[in-house]
Each structure stands twice: as C-alpha cells, then as structure tokens.
Amino acid sequence: VFIGYKLQAISETNITVLNINGAMMQSENQLLNAGENQFKMNINNLIPGIYFVRFTTNNFVVTKKLLVK
C-alpha cells in the first residue's frame, strides 16, 4: 500500500503502524525532503483488521486509520 503526504521542510520522519490495542506492529524512520512524498508500506504480515498509521516529524504528529481486508 502507498501512503502519500506533504512536508513543509526536510524532516526526519517516523512512520509507525499500531493495532487497535495500541501495540506497535511495525515502524520505520526516514529522512524525507520537503514537498510531496510517498511511503510504500508492506502490509502482508498484518492480519485483517483496523490499524492506525502514525506519522511523526519534528513539527507534527498525524494518525490515520488503516483498514486491512
């Protein structure tokens, strides 16, 4: 699955997948450039269910829902 997002400035970014109970399923750190970015996430190891993807940078934290079928 591809997840797109836009950054205001170059930033160290942490992308974490959490299950419905808040347990970390996978995590990755990347140094990303300003502007439009796309992150390719391998979700083959996740069983069907609801997950949350948390994006953390120096300036903000955003959490989005991910439904795996």
Side-chain angles (χ1 to χ4, degrees):
V1 67
F2 287 95
I3 299 173
Y5 50 97
K6 186 175 181 178
L7 295 174
Q8 297 289 330
I10 190 169
S11 182
E12 179 70 30
T13 304
N14 173 268
I15 301 164
T16 304
V17 178
L18 306 165
N19 69 13
I20 194 76
N21 297 317
M24 183 175 65
M25 304 306 293
Q26 61 189 73
S27 182
E28 185 171 330
N29 292 313
Q30 295 183 356
L31 182 62
L32 298 173
N33 293 321
E36 298 289 332
N37 290 279
Q38 235 185 20
F39 173 72
K40 183 179 180 182
M41 180 185 302
N42 181 354
I43 60 170
N44 291 335
N45 61 332
L46 300 177
I47 62 172
I50 298 172
Y51 296 87
F52 297 97
V53 180
R54 180 180 297 151
F55 301 93
T56 306
T57 70
N58 298 336
N59 300 322
F60 68 90
V61 176
V62 176
T63 304
K64 298 289 184 176
K65 185 168 62 171
L66 172 67
L67 179 61
V68 176
K69 292 185 178 186

